Amino acid sequence: MARQAVWMRSPGTRPGALSSPLHCLPPARNTTRRTIAAASLAQTPPSHSTRWRPISVLDDWVAKEARPISLRQLMVFGRSLTEARLISSANYVRTELPTRLAHRLRDIQQLPYAVVSNPHVHAVYELYYNAFDMLRKVKEVKTLDDNDVLCAVIGQTLQAHLPVIPKLAMGILECSELMPARDLDKFMNTILRARISRRVIAEQHLALTETFNSSWYSPGAPLPEGHEFIGEVFLKCQARDVIDRCAKAVCALARSAYGPDVQLPDIQLTGHLDTTFPYILSHLEYIVGELLRNAVQATVERHQRQQQENPSRYATNGLPPPPPPIEITLCEAAQHVIIRVSDQGGGVPHDMMPYLWSFSKGKHSQRLLKNLKKVPRMAATLQELRVDEGSQQKTAPGSDGEHPHGNSLASLSQRPPNLRLGMGLPLSRVYAEYWAGSLELHSLEGYGVDAFLQISKLGNKNEQLTMRASMDAV
């Protein structure tokens, strides 16, 4: 996510201003605390080299239930921050992260051995086990010094896990003939949703710590007037602004891919334009950005094909007409907001329909595998749509720097239109459903697509988690 991870924003800070420390250590009160945290990392055990491990160490942790949170809980907790609340948050994260990792490790262990032996799946298992092993050994947080040690471990883990998403995707594609597609998709949806959840609670705590140590913050004071963020939660997320930013970014990306003179569809926005709701901005920007990217790409490519096939029909006064517009409708109801994205890009090809929401792509797997190998790292806090301008990178929706926990999908979102990964829609649905929303798509082959994103607008829905190891029935 290319946005500052701070629990509360100082007055005048706009979305996109970033904090700098790569390992997410808060500003130290003195050099001793920074030395303590560094010493803790230096004592981190080396990566395990064994091919497999006994599962008994996980039993106690798998027996624990994850404790889900809601956006409203995050907002209420962060409005008046004290040292006691900071330490309480630290101990929640200290026990919650290894619990959630243990469930996912057990899921991987219960896959067929041929799948677990896949080098990509095995690499993810190693990363998860090492993180679990580090986090379960962190002692109870009683002081601010203890909290700095925890933050150092969390920051190291977030950075180390950046390659997990493409590795999982490649592993699933390579194992598509070893398990039923439905079981593979169940595994992927469970493990990716859990990954989002861990990133959310980890970054919220890092943001809380950074805010508590900021010179402008007064412990115990209420949220200053003018603040629109509490940590990762944007209190007044306005769908219209998100769509505008993503539309500009998608169009800039299309021009860089198709040429500066390409004819782009007009993006028309109608409906309840003043709708606001609390949400994690990067989640919404990723979903909307992916839907708009698909719509613009399909519309441009279909329009170009039509002009090449019948130039006289698609020309007026010697000039080609613009492509048909993309229509976006915002609809606000009592409990939710719906965003509809309608295009005339020709619809989803018939041979892709069975794989639309699946991470397993059948006969298309080998082509997508080649493309995925060109995208080595993807952050889980997704802020999509970056555009390369010479040697400068600009983050397109509303950001101006790098995320402190890693590069937020820069290599993914700079990919050219022909570098299809087959992950956009399935991953977007995982993000939509994480906060009890939904994503549906209706395709009219030969005409276009209507995509419907539903968002819970009150912030009172818990994150949607699989509470125990999910693969027992497989």
Side-chain angles (χ1 to χ4, degrees), residues 7 40 49 65 117 123 151 155 170 182 188 203 205 218 230 272 315 332 425 434 443:
W7 190 261
S40 173
S49 59
E65 290 281 9
S117 299
C151 288
M170 287 188 286
R182 186 173 71 174
M188 279 291 283
E203 290 187 341
H205 180 68
S218 177
I230 297 178
H272 300 143
E332 181 179 14
L425 285 176
Y434 176 68
S443 174

Side-chain angles (χ1 to χ4, degrees), residues 11 67 70 78 102 136 268 308-309 317 382 447:
R67 294 172 288 170
S70 68
R136 72 185 180 90
Q268 302 173 354
Q308 293 172 357
E309 293 168 358
N317 298 325
L382 297 165
Y447 183 80

Side-chain angles (χ1 to χ4, degrees), residues 95-297:
T95 58
E96 198 69 12
L97 289 179
T99 297
R100 297 185 185 199
L101 279 167
H103 290 178
R104 305 292 71 83
L105 285 167
R106 182 57 53 84
D107 286 348
I108 297 175
Q109 288 177 343
Q110 294 179 345
L111 293 170
Y113 184 74
V115 177
V116 177
S117 299
N118 177 275
H120 303 298
V121 178
H122 179 69
V124 172
Y125 181 87
E126 290 290 319
L127 285 170
Y128 278 19
Y129 189 92
N130 291 337
F132 165 75
D133 204 38
M134 274 198 303
L135 288 163
R136 72 185 180 90
K137 295 175 181 177
V138 175
K139 297 179 180 179
E140 180 182 359
V141 176
K142 298 180 179 180
T143 67
L144 294 176
D145 291 336
D146 295 339
N147 181 61
D148 283 349
V149 172
L150 173 66
C151 288
V153 174
I154 292 173
Q156 183 189 49
T157 301
L158 290 174
Q159 184 73 15
H161 286 200
L162 289 177
V164 164
I165 293 178
K167 284 185 178 296
L168 282 172
M170 287 188 286
I172 291 303
L173 289 175
E174 290 180 353
C175 297
S176 58
E177 296 182 358
L178 302 176
M179 281 180 67
R182 186 173 71 174
D183 293 342
L184 285 173
D185 285 332
K186 180 181 178 182
F187 169 76
M188 279 291 283
N189 278 278
T190 297
I191 206 165
L192 289 175
R193 193 177 300 178
R195 176 177 165 81
I196 296 169
S197 76
R198 295 193 305 274
R199 192 94 180 193
V200 166
I201 63 176
E203 290 187 341
Q204 283 284 33
H205 180 68
L206 294 174
L208 187 156
T209 299
E210 187 175 338
T211 296
F212 187 83
N213 288 305
S214 297
S215 59
W216 60 268
Y217 182 71
S218 177
L223 187 69
E225 185 176 354
H227 281 258
E228 295 181 329
F229 282 85
I230 297 178
E232 300 296 308
V233 184
F234 192 10
L235 301 179
K236 296 181 179 179
C237 185
Q238 193 159 29
R240 175 180 60 186
D241 292 343
V242 172
I243 292 168
D244 286 344
R245 286 197 302 274
C246 290
K248 291 177 182 177
V250 166
C251 290
L253 184 65
R255 290 190 184 95
S256 70
Y258 298 107
D261 298 327
V262 65
Q263 287 185 297
L264 298 178
D266 186 27
I267 298 178
Q268 302 173 354
L269 184 59
T270 59
H272 300 143
L273 302 185
D274 295 327
T275 299
T276 62
F277 48 90
Y279 212 72
I280 294 184
L281 188 60
S282 62
H283 292 190
L284 183 61
E285 287 183 332
Y286 174 69
I287 301 169
V288 171
E290 192 64 36
L291 294 178
L292 284 177
R293 179 188 177 109
N294 289 345
V296 168
Q297 180 175 327

Side-chain angles (χ1 to χ4, degrees), residues 7 25 31 34 52 85 118 152 240 244-245 331 382 408 419 422:
W7 190 261
L25 277 171
T31 55
R34 189 178 294 274
W52 198 246
R85 283 195 169 193
N118 177 275
R240 175 180 60 186
D244 286 344
R245 286 197 302 274
C331 177
L382 297 165
S408 301
L419 191 62

Side-chain angles (χ1 to χ4, degrees), residues 423-439:
M423 292 181 59
L425 285 176
L427 195 54
S428 294
R429 176 177 271 186
V430 172
Y431 271 85
E433 293 178 346
Y434 176 68
W435 293 117
S438 64
L439 178 61

